[in-house]
Amino acid sequence: MSFHPEHEMHTRRKGRNIGVGLVLGALIVIIFGLTYVKVTSQGFQAPAAQEAQG
Amino acid sequence: MTDASINTASAPQEAEFGDYFALLKPRVMTLVVFTALVGLLAAPVAVHPFVGFCAILFIAVGGGASGALNMWWDADIDAVMQRTARRPIPAGKVSPEEALAIGIALSGFSVVLLGLATNWVAGGLLAFTIFFYVVIYTMWLKRWTPQNIVIGGAAGAFPPMIGWAAATGGISVESVLMFCLTFMWTPPHFWALALFMRSDYDKAEVPMLTVTHGRPATRAHILVYTLLLAGLALAIAFTGAGGPVYLLVAVVLNALFVKGAFAIWRRDEVMAEADNYAAERKFFKLSLLYLFLHFGALLAEAGMDRFGIELTIGGLL
């Protein structure tokens, strides 16, 4: 038997923390994805690739 | 402190993640997402799928943020009305201050991110929509005039215009027509709800048409607005946004909608109470299908245009 059984309040708090964490993670993925799409759709090439072509 | 010191009876109720999500009015958000998606996909400019996904997400978050601000301002009304008494603020799960903070933060995030992801016309339209819903409708019109639903309905009509603007960077006849369709649809939709949720608006002292002008006047208003809506919905078939598929859908749905409005108009309260507002409830449910299928048909027309599929009806379209 545990001396510190998880209170129902802790379960709710944990759920909330996980939810906020996932939202923040999703925000990072979205901003990264948008940056990638914006940069690549404007004909951007990495300097190494430009040199190889030139 | 030990676990034994936690007094569950006096501890303030802590919100779950779902309570914060409920602040964003997810059911209203589905309508926002769908109409904005139609606006985005029906536009003649192709959008990168990921940018399109983000645009819809930010529009949905902006709509949700305005819902949170609406709940913050209207917490007193929500607590009185049976339909809204279980919302997070009146239920004591989220404090009004938290709702205000979430609403403002998400409004700012959604507008800026939509502007950066697509263009500032779309971002500006989203900002204006949030302003219109929160300040013009919630803070001003809702408690002041029985025309609250008519004018405030504009806020719910903007998403297809925002979706269109996200793709094209501007406003056009087609996007304005989509706005008009939702705008004209809102009053009969909400007045039907007000007819069978009678005691709610009475108790909350919200000047709904049913309270200020009486129920027979509301029934007449539903009929008049439905007829105007039917005219507009059918006219769209003959514009660039419409076509034969849309015309077919519009003819069937508007015939049913006008029939339902006539049924409501011909009834009185005795008849309505006898069958527990069956006609009003049926009309309300039909109104949801009405908007969904009209926008679905507009989407189908845009898809057929894009893939070069042509259908004609007797040389008319």
Side-chain angles (χ1 to χ4, degrees):
Chain A
M1 184 186 140
S2 167
F3 285 103
H4 296 285
E6 195 161 270
H7 191 273
E8 191 259 340
M9 186 182 75
H10 294 131
T11 317
R12 258 185 285 174
R13 203 174 279 175
K14 188 176 168 187
R16 204 172 63 194
N17 292 342
I18 291 172
V20 172
L22 288 175
V23 168
L24 291 175
L27 186 65
I28 291 166
V29 171
I30 283 169
I31 291 179
F32 177 77
L34 274 175
T35 309
Y36 178 79
V37 169
K38 291 269 172 192
V39 169
T40 53
S41 65
Q42 287 168 10
F44 173 83
Q45 286 184 317
Q50 281 177 337
E51 271 177 33
Q53 277 187 355
Chain B
M1 188 177 98
T2 66
D3 283 355
S5 69
I6 295 169
N7 182 348
T8 50
S10 61
Q13 203 173 359
E14 285 214 27
E16 290 177 47
F17 185 73
D19 295 323
Y20 293 117
F21 186 66
L23 279 178
L24 309 184
K25 297 193 177 180
R27 283 175 68 184
V28 177
M29 214 191 260
T30 54
L31 175 73
V32 170
V33 166
F34 180 65
T35 56
L37 182 67
V38 173
L40 185 96
L41 294 178
V45 180
V47 178
H48 189 285
F50 189 74
V51 175
F53 165 78
C54 290
I56 299 298
L57 180 70
F58 299 145
I59 296 169
V61 171
S66 61
L69 292 170
N70 167 274
M71 285 198 203
W72 160 70
W73 186 262
D74 275 349
D76 57 331
I77 296 179
D78 287 350
V80 179
M81 299 207 296
Q82 187 191 346
R83 184 172 66 89
T84 53
R86 279 174 295 176
R87 284 180 175 173
I89 299 177
K93 292 175 178 170
V94 176
S95 71
E97 292 76 21
E98 277 183 302
L100 174 64
I102 289 171
I104 290 174
L106 291 184
S107 297
F109 263 102
S110 59
V111 168
V112 170
L113 287 176
L114 181 65
L116 290 171
T118 59
N119 57 74
W120 290 104
V121 175
L125 273 173
L126 181 62
F128 181 71
T129 305
I130 296 169
F131 167 79
F132 196 93
Y133 186 67
V134 177
V135 178
I136 306 288
Y137 171 69
T138 304
M139 294 183 176
W140 181 33
L141 295 171
K142 187 171 177 181
R143 299 178 195 227
W144 176 62
T145 167
Q147 296 300 313
N148 49 15
I149 288 304
V150 179
I151 309 165
F158 276 115
M161 277 183 83
I162 306 173
W164 182 282
T168 63
I171 295 166
S172 71
V173 176
E174 288 90 343
S175 72
V176 172
L177 287 171
M178 284 190 246
F179 169 89
C180 291
L181 187 66
T182 320
F183 180 70
M184 290 302 295
W185 164 88
T186 309
H189 167 79
F190 269 104
W191 284 331
L193 178 73
L195 280 174
F196 65 81
M197 296 298 279
R198 172 182 193 161
S199 57
D200 260 9
Y201 291 108
D202 289 357
K203 274 193 289 184
E205 295 178 3
V206 175
M208 281 299 268
L209 203 62
T210 44
V211 182
T212 58
H213 288 66
R215 306 170 75 73
T218 306
R219 293 174 185 280
H221 271 71
I222 288 177
L223 178 61
V224 170
Y225 272 82
T226 302
L227 291 172
L228 291 172
L229 171 66
L232 174 79
L234 291 171
I236 290 175
F238 301 95
T239 68
V245 172
Y246 175 87
L247 181 64
L248 188 68
V249 169
V251 166
V252 173
L253 282 173
N254 283 283
L256 291 171
F257 213 46
V258 170
K259 184 171 168 271
F262 262 108
I264 288 177
W265 177 63
R266 291 174 63 177
R267 282 152 69 89
D268 58 21
E269 284 311 293
V270 178
M271 290 166 76
E273 278 175 17
D275 62 8
N276 194 23
Y277 295 91
E280 290 79 2
R281 289 176 195 275
K282 190 176 162 193
F283 184 82
F284 180 76
K285 280 184 191 164
L286 177 64
S287 71
L288 295 170
L289 192 68
Y290 178 98
L291 197 69
F292 178 76
L293 290 181
H294 271 84
F295 272 86
L298 287 173
L299 187 58
E301 290 291 351
M304 289 190 335
D305 279 352
R306 190 160 296 175
F307 294 107
I309 303 166
E310 274 190 35
L311 294 175
T312 52
I313 298 179
L316 263 177
L317 293 162

